[in-house]
Amino acid sequence: MTNRRRSLLILTLALLAPAVVASASGSDSALARQTLAPVTAADRSIGRANAPVTVVEYASFACHVCADWHELVWPVFKQRFVDTGQVRFVFRNLPTQPEELSLSGAALARCAVPERFFDVTAALMHGQAAVLRGGTRDAWYAPAIAVSGRTRAQIDACVATPATRAAITRDIDSADAADVHHTPSFFVNGRRVTDRSLGGLEVAIRAAAAAR
């Protein structure tokens, strides 16, 4: 990530106001930027920690394709692969325009009780269309805060902390290192999967499990 991009991100998170996040330098070698950062305790994940397959998604709370995936595919994906212990699923933020929504959504989700992160994600994705059509941010936040395990005051205090900004920056840095520029993007056991359909991901998951 360029210094300018990181500075803009921090400023946007601090102000929760629109900002344009600069892309990574075009001089970087694409081959040198394909490493997916390992999953750590700092990541937000669901499923068995020792599941044979790890699926990492880079998504944005302002991306309508991400919202469609979480509304239509995620419930079946979770039931079929996560709940059965086959997959550990990791969500990483890659904010997109409008950043005042994607970054504020990312911060809100990050500030939820960790075990409630995916409940908050579901609520934000479900309400995304309304806020993008001009709905109020408070109306978008309310259902997410209700399932977050925190009060609005606790969420607001957490959003303002350097730790929250650092966590989102870490996600963006990892996307940059893996040469991820679009949302949603998926990796199965470290390999990029371009077919984000349930069937496409299932093929990749079965292949990854068989290769162990």
Side-chain angles (χ1 to χ4, degrees), residues 178-201:
D179 201 28
V180 175
H181 303 291
H182 304 285
T183 57
S185 288
F186 292 90
F187 291 79
V188 176
N189 277 6
R191 292 182 176 273
R192 191 191 304 264
V193 176
T194 58
D195 185 347
R196 59 178 174 259
S197 69
L198 182 65
L201 289 168

Side-chain angles (χ1 to χ4, degrees), residues 127-144:
Q128 182 202 96
V131 74
L132 288 177
R133 288 196 300 264
T136 68
R137 205 179 304 180
D138 280 346
W140 187 42
Y141 285 166

Side-chain angles (χ1 to χ4, degrees), residues 2-209:
T2 64
N3 288 336
R4 179 169 177 258
R5 183 178 178 185
R6 183 178 288 106
S7 297
L8 283 168
L9 167 70
I10 292 170
L11 177 63
T12 305
L13 281 168
L15 300 178
L16 290 181
V20 177
V21 179
S23 61
S25 170
S27 63
D28 290 342
S29 166
L31 292 177
R33 300 168 62 245
Q34 297 287 333
T35 303
L36 184 68
V39 176
T40 71
D43 278 299
R44 291 297 186 252
S45 67
I46 186 172
R48 284 172 45 208
N50 63 345
V53 176
T54 296
V55 175
V56 176
E57 178 194 19
Y58 285 92
S60 166
F61 288 105
C63 159
H64 72 88
V65 180
C66 301
D68 288 345
W69 192 89
H70 277 268
E71 286 271 275
L72 302 175
V73 180
W74 168 247
V76 180
F77 182 98
K78 179 178 180 292
Q79 182 181 50
R80 185 175 300 181
F81 299 113
V82 178
D83 294 347
T84 57
Q86 299 176 67
V87 165
R88 182 186 189 186
F89 187 87
V90 179
F91 183 104
R92 289 177 176 169
N93 285 288
L94 182 56
T96 58
Q97 295 182 348
E99 282 90 357
E100 70 270 23
L101 295 181
S102 61
L103 286 167
S104 62
L108 194 165
R110 184 75 195 182
C111 287
V113 172
E115 293 78 12
R116 301 286 185 86
F117 177 86
F118 285 90
D119 296 327
V120 172
T121 295
L124 290 173
M125 293 299 190
H126 180 72
Q128 182 202 96
V131 74
L132 288 177
R133 288 196 300 264
T136 68
R137 205 179 304 180
D138 280 346
W140 187 42
Y141 285 166
I145 293 173
V147 297
S148 70
R150 309 278 195 204
T151 65
R152 176 62 187 261
Q154 289 172 325
I155 293 288
D156 288 345
C158 173
V159 165
T161 63
T164 298
R165 295 194 291 272
I168 298 171
T169 301
R170 186 168 52 246
D171 279 359
I172 296 172
D173 283 345
S174 74
D176 191 58
D179 201 28
V180 175
H181 303 291
H182 304 285
T183 57
S185 288
F186 292 90
F187 291 79
V188 176
N189 277 6
R191 292 182 176 273
R192 191 191 304 264
V193 176
T194 58
D195 185 347
R196 59 178 174 259
S197 69
L198 182 65
L201 289 168
E202 181 168 9
V203 169
I205 289 166
R206 301 297 182 205

